[in-house]
DNA sequence: CGCCAGGTTGATTTCGCTCAAGCAATGTGG
DNA sequence: CCACATTGCTTGAGCGAAATCAACCTGGCG
């Protein structure tokens, strides 16, 4: 249990001693929406604050449950899932240290529309909804920070829609690898790089909307084609440009022949 | 061009005489984000306001273009599209009278990530970005209204992701018809109803992420199965419950056999 | 009249899913 | 320590839904 918050986040500045400190002293505060608040404003959040550690697999809130407040990630990684009637699930996005979680339900239905599940050991603060709403009503900057967050989430959700519709599985996996590279890169040299995947195969499959079997097969294809080498959760890519080529390949320009 | 703003919106209160009036006098204001503003605040928007009418097919803003402000729908219907490299496009959502348009780019990149195209004759106001930002910084309620809007958009985008991944084309068309029914219903009696589609077949296909050919075939299937009758843009559904059945049918409970 | 975009239909292909089995790593209880 | 269950991952065989390719039809319009 040495340093559980170091999970590829790069910052690696979160230690056990954050345990129980106030928001004002929180090490990830600068990255959060709360960074726009004054000391006095921050203090109003303290009474309704609860910090908790979640083990991998534990759920933080469930789809359909009423939202009583906002969660704020201190460390670890959480997956936002959405399930359909048949139990089929999609992994919509990953949430890391410094990000808010479940803020949306506070604004609309008061009911969570997604499930949040810890994917690694995670420390998460819960902040009381009423206190947050009071601050939102008073300080415009706070709402704007959340608005930016929502705008980014919306952007990536729309990207995902387009991706799932237009790209092949190969292209979607290539895209996923490139996205994960930004955060989970281990080493890079020229056109080649290495990274450690933060997700199981199943979860990677759920991220691009395919079955685990298809993930296996596509990974094997990538290896056979010399695109990437997978050893457990570590991936080595020799030539990143090959990966980039995959993105457009499934739907190349329709050879604009004049007449 | 008698009454161009009556497009199934139900309200039907927008007429040509709205032309050139102020925001304060705007007939759709009560439904907009601006409803939380005082008369004085509204007045600050006037200098940077431009009202324009768009013909069907005209684009209001294009993916990649810089955003200089926010658009506000007075009447008509606009489609939000997103294109991929190969020219393949998806219709992400429809925007109607009283809704803001292109507000997201103002908050993040300052660059539009989607294209907005008038689908019917539409009247749209443009509001200067700097003026809007000034108000956002002053009045928390305005930001919260936009935040609610973004939260709803995000919700439906995530629903769409799940839908495209888990539901069959049949189920997705059934779902689309049920969604369109809410707004474009013509008449209803018991389990049966009639409506007039606001979209071409191509655009309906683009909404659920399929090719036009597949849309044709699925419509024919629906007719053969007695689910719905299509005559051009009018649809008659005899038994709405049949349509509802389609939603879950593609992925029914996996027969939870104990042991 | 000819042209053209939108829509329909048919034939064929292909990509990813389903179903099924097997395997390695891990845990568990006797 | 072993027998056994469990879980995550992989692989194979076969199927089926939707895409692709291609032709044709229709109505609107210059």
């Amino acid at each position: 249990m040495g340093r559980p918050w170091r999970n590829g986040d790069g910052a690696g500045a979160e230690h056990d001693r954050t345990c129980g400190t106030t928001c004002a002293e929180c090490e990830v505060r600068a990255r959060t929406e709360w960074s726009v608040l004054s000391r006095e404003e921050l203090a109003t959040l303290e009474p309704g604050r609860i910090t908790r550690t979640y083990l991998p697999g534990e759920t933080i809130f469930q789809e359909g449950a009423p939202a009583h407040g906002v969660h704020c990630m201190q460390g670890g990684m959480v997956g936002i899932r959405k399930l359909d009637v048949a139990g089929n699930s999609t992994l919509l996005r990953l949430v890391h240290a410094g990000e808010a979680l479940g803020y949306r339900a506070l604004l609309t239905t008061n009911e969570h529309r997604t499930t949040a599940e810890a994917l690694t050991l995670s420390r998460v603060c819960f902040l009381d909804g009423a206190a947050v709403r009071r601050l939102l009503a008073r300080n415009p900057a706070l709402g704007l920070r959340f608005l930016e967050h929502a705008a980014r989430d919306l952007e990536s959700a729309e990207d995902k829609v387009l991706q799932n519709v237009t790209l092949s599985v190969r292209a979607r996996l290539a895209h996923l690898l490139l996205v994960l590279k930004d955060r989970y890169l281990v080493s890079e040299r020229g056109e080649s790089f290495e990274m450690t995947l933060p997700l199981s195969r199943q979860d990677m499959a759920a991220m691009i909307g395919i079955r685990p079997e298809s993930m296996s097969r596509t990974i094997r294809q990538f290896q056979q084609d010399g695109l990437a080498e997978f050893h457990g959760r570590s991936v080595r890519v020799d030539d990143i440009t090959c990966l980039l080529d995959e993105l457009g390949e499934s739907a190349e320009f329709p050879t604009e022949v004049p007449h």
Side-chain angles (χ1 to χ4, degrees), chain A residues 12 18 29 60 63 66 71 91 117 119 140 165 167 173 185 236:
Chain A
T18 54
R29 201 190 85 232
I60 294 157
E63 197 172 339
H71 292 266
L91 194 45
E117 176 194 326
L119 296 180
V165 168
L167 268 51
L173 177 56
L185 187 69
R236 207 166 58 75

Side-chain angles (χ1 to χ4, degrees), chain A residues 111-148:
Chain A
E111 192 173 282
H112 288 294
R113 301 298 304 269
T114 51
T115 297
E117 176 194 326
L119 296 180
T120 69
L121 185 58
S122 301
R123 181 180 295 277
V124 184
C125 283
F126 170 82
L127 300 165
D128 179 59
V132 175
R133 264 192 273 254
R134 268 194 299 276
L135 288 177
L136 282 171
R138 185 128 29 87
N139 187 339
L142 183 61
L144 288 180
R145 286 296 302 264
F146 275 106
L147 189 43
E148 276 170 49

Side-chain angles (χ1 to χ4, degrees), chain A residues 54-236:
Chain A
Y54 294 87
L55 296 173
E58 275 193 282
T59 85
I60 294 157
F61 55 79
Q62 201 121 28
E63 197 172 339
H68 302 298
V70 178
H71 292 266
C72 182
M73 293 281 296
Q74 264 190 27
M77 181 173 71
V78 166
I80 304 295
R81 295 185 191 280
K82 202 167 171 65
L83 306 124
D84 72 355
V85 244
N88 220 325
S89 97
T90 304
L91 194 45
L92 289 169
R93 63 179 172 280
L94 304 177
V95 184
H96 300 93
E99 280 189 85
L101 192 63
Y103 64 92
R104 187 174 25 140
L106 211 63
L107 278 307
T108 51
T109 48
N110 269 33
E111 192 173 282
H112 288 294
R113 301 298 304 269
T114 51
T115 297
E117 176 194 326
L119 296 180
T120 69
L121 185 58
S122 301
R123 181 180 295 277
V124 184
C125 283
F126 170 82
L127 300 165
D128 179 59
V132 175
R133 264 192 273 254
R134 268 194 299 276
L135 288 177
L136 282 171
R138 185 128 29 87
N139 187 339
L142 183 61
L144 288 180
R145 286 296 302 264
F146 275 106
L147 189 43
E148 276 170 49
H149 193 159
R152 270 196 309 277
D153 283 352
L154 180 53
E155 217 167 272
S156 64
E158 289 178 344
D159 282 346
K160 199 157 213 165
V161 170
L162 188 68
Q163 242 196 72
N164 284 337
V165 168
T166 62
L167 268 51
S168 69
V169 166
R170 266 182 86 97
R172 277 183 277 166
L173 177 56
H175 182 91
L176 177 62
L177 292 177
L178 289 168
V179 170
L180 292 176
K181 167 182 176 288
D182 288 340
R183 191 179 276 268
Y184 299 99
L185 187 69
V186 171
S187 70
E188 191 167 25
R189 199 170 58 246
E191 305 295 292
S192 71
F193 68 89
E194 279 184 43
M195 65 174 164
T196 302
L197 300 171
L199 295 167
S200 67
R201 303 286 143 114
Q202 312 192 88
D203 283 341
M204 285 179 60
M207 283 218 78
I208 60 176
I210 62 172
R211 308 277 126 186
E213 297 98 315
S214 296
M215 177 54 73
S216 263
R217 287 185 237 278
T218 312
I219 283 177
R220 190 152 56 112
Q221 276 182 38
F222 272 28
Q223 300 201 130
Q224 286 171 352
D225 300 354
L227 265 166
E229 257 182 72
F230 292 75
H231 291 103
R233 289 198 173 188
S234 72
V235 188
R236 207 166 58 75

